[in-house]
Structure formats: C-alpha cells, structure tokens
Amino acid sequence: MSEITYDYMEEYIRGLISDRDGILNEIENFARENGVPIVQKETGVFLEFMTSMKKPKRILELGTAIGFSSILMYQAAGTEPEIVTIERDERMIELANVNLNKFNLSEKIKIEEGDCLEVLEKLTEPFDLIFMDAGKGHYNHFLPHCLRLLKEDGIIVADNVLFRGMVASQDLVKRRKITIVKRMRTYLELVTQDKDLITSVIPMGDGIAVTKRR
Ligand SMILES: C[S@@+](CC[C@H](N)C(=O)[O-])C[C@H]1O[C@@H](n2cnc3c(N)ncnc32)[C@H](O)[C@@H]1O
C-alpha cells in the first residue's frame, strides 16, 4: 500500500504501461530485483512526458542511482541534451557508468560525484529542467540553488514529495522520519506559497511536485 493512492488504481495504471525494450528493460529489472531505488513506473512515464514537452537542452538531476532516469530523460528529450547528474554513492556511480556506456552516453550525461548541496553550490550554468530525486530531507535546502540555476522558463520536477503519505497525514508519520517529513512540508510550503512560482502537487507514485516561474 503506497498510502498515496489506492492499490487498485496504481495496479491498473501500471498495467497500462508497456515493458521497456532491450537494455533499458534490463536496467529497470536489475534495479527492482536488487533494491536500487529508481523512479516508479508511472513516475518514469510522467518524467518522459515532461521532458518530451519541455525539449530541454540542459538537464540537472539530483540522484543518479544507476542512471535509469537520466537515460529515460535523454531519450525522451529529442534534443540530445547535456545532462548533469549528482550522486554520492561510489557503487552506484560505477554501475551508472556501465549503463551509460551501453548507450554511448558517457559524454552527454556527466556524473558529478559528491553531496548534492556541495555540488549545487559550485554549479553556475543554467538548466531547462531540474529533476530532484535525492536527499528527501534536504529539498528545502536545495531549492534556492535550483531556482538560481533554473532558466526563466525552466521546470523543476521533484519526486517523493508526499513520502509514503507521511507528508500529508500526521497519523502515518514514523518517529525516525519526522525531520524528513517536516522539511518536505517546508519545501512544499515554499514552492506553493511563493507568488512568483506556480506549483502543482500530484498524488502519483510517491508524490510529485512540478514547479515553474509564473
Ligand atoms: C531515488 S535514487 C535516484 C534514482 C534515479 N533518479 C532513477 O530514478 O533512476 C536516489 C539516489 O540519490 C543518492 N543520494 C541520496 N542523497 C544524496 C545526496 N545528499 N547527495 C548525493 N546523492 C544522494 C542515493 O545514493 C541514491 O542513489
């Protein structure tokens, strides 16, 4: 039970999504079988949809894992975009590099090794699309940098913003997750209450927030 939507609804929607082809399907299966936390099926399709609409030339991703969502966004963009993706786990980076090589994408998708906040502080070139998918307890701290790095008409897609329902319902909050939940609520307050921003929060997957400037 995801605590975000009804199980029957999730199962039905996932049932509509066809399996991916070839190597991408192998990467997805590897992740699901080995507990690598990649985007949920419907979130992956949503990300492809947004990327294909936006046609970004430069994408920033927080949280590479094994490169699955980077490859998805690259293929969906149709613009051969440059992607900068941040990851701190060496083992993930090794696997991501293997996967990027399989698609000949190691030149186009650049993995920045390190903590998101530290890497964000050093980035200066703007992006058309930013996908936040790492460090759930720090989205509120990442936000000022993401806004600084976001082009005037850029979009931020943030995953896991409802965090297993805990962000919306105090009854679901596990003690050891209190800080993450409070900070995620702060993130959602910041992006929904800032009059210069427009944000839509979608109860899909683990919760997605899409933000752009008005
Ligand atoms: C949910 S996974 C990313 C999944 C990937 N976007 C995909 O869907 O294919 C989050 C990744 O972020 C990394 N991570 C978590 N916190 C981080 C941080 N503060 N800085 C850098 N990487 C972080 C984790 O090691 C993990 O591999």
Side-chain angles (χ1 to χ4, degrees):
M1 175 97 171
S2 73
E3 306 287 3
I4 306 274
T5 179
Y6 297 106
D7 284 356
Y8 74 89
M9 195 70 79
E10 208 169 77
E11 275 163 32
Y12 176 71
I13 293 171
R14 282 187 190 166
L16 295 171
I17 303 170
S18 314
D19 283 345
R20 297 188 178 280
D21 295 330
I23 300 172
L24 212 46
N25 189 38
E26 283 168 23
I27 297 174
E28 187 169 19
N29 288 338
F30 173 89
R32 309 252 180 252
E33 283 158 18
N34 292 280
V36 178
I38 61 166
V39 277
Q40 298 185 14
K41 268 189 184 296
E42 61 279 23
T43 306
V45 176
F46 179 78
L47 196 58
E48 286 180 284
F49 187 92
M50 294 303 293
T51 316
S52 140
M53 292 268 293
K54 184 67 196 148
K55 304 200 186 326
K57 298 222 167 60
R58 281 176 47 83
I59 299 175
L60 173 63
E61 176 179 64
L62 313 190
T64 318
I66 59 172
F68 180 73
S69 53
S70 282
I71 298 167
L72 274 194
M73 289 190 283
Y74 183 89
Q75 293 187 336
T79 51
E80 302 186 358
E82 260 177 67
I83 302 185
V84 175
T85 176
I86 310 174
E87 176 60 58
R88 67 180 176 194
D89 183 328
E90 278 178 30
R91 202 177 53 92
M92 290 291 168
I93 294 174
E94 256 174 53
L95 292 168
N97 277 322
V98 170
N99 290 331
L100 297 185
N101 278 330
K102 290 179 188 163
F103 288 87
N104 273 328
L105 286 176
S106 355
E107 297 279 301
K108 295 299 267 179
I109 302 178
K110 183 162 184 279
I111 304 174
E112 287 284 351
E113 181 170 358
D115 183 77
C116 285
L117 198 56
E118 286 170 18
V119 176
L120 278 170
E121 279 165 1
K122 291 182 198 142
L123 295 175
T124 52
E125 292 290 307
F127 296 90
D128 304 283
L129 178 71
I130 299 179
F131 178 42
M132 276 196 199
D133 195 23
K136 287 187 274 291
H138 295 282
Y139 281 17
N140 56 328
H141 304 129
F142 300 155
L143 182 64
H145 288 289
C146 290
L147 290 173
R148 170 179 63 79
L149 291 166
L150 192 68
K151 283 190 190 163
E152 208 42 46
D153 59 350
I155 295 176
I156 300 174
V157 178
D159 196 12
N160 309 108
V161 296
L162 297 175
F163 194 25
R164 300 177 214 155
M166 287 186 262
V167 172
S169 167
Q170 200 57 30
D171 294 344
L172 296 172
V173 178
K174 306 226 165 61
R175 262 186 91 74
R176 59 183 196 288
K177 303 290 184 195
I178 287 174
T179 306
I180 296 182
V181 169
K182 278 191 185 157
R183 289 182 180 168
M184 193 60 94
R185 286 182 186 148
T186 304
Y187 175 78
L188 289 176
E189 280 157 24
L190 288 170
V191 290
T192 53
Q193 287 170 23
D194 185 330
K195 292 206 165 31
D196 293 333
L197 301 176
I198 176 161
T199 293
S200 175
V201 181
I202 307 162
M204 176 197 285
D206 198 28
I208 300 172
V210 195
T211 298
K212 69 183 290 297
R213 290 195 177 86
R214 280 186 190 276

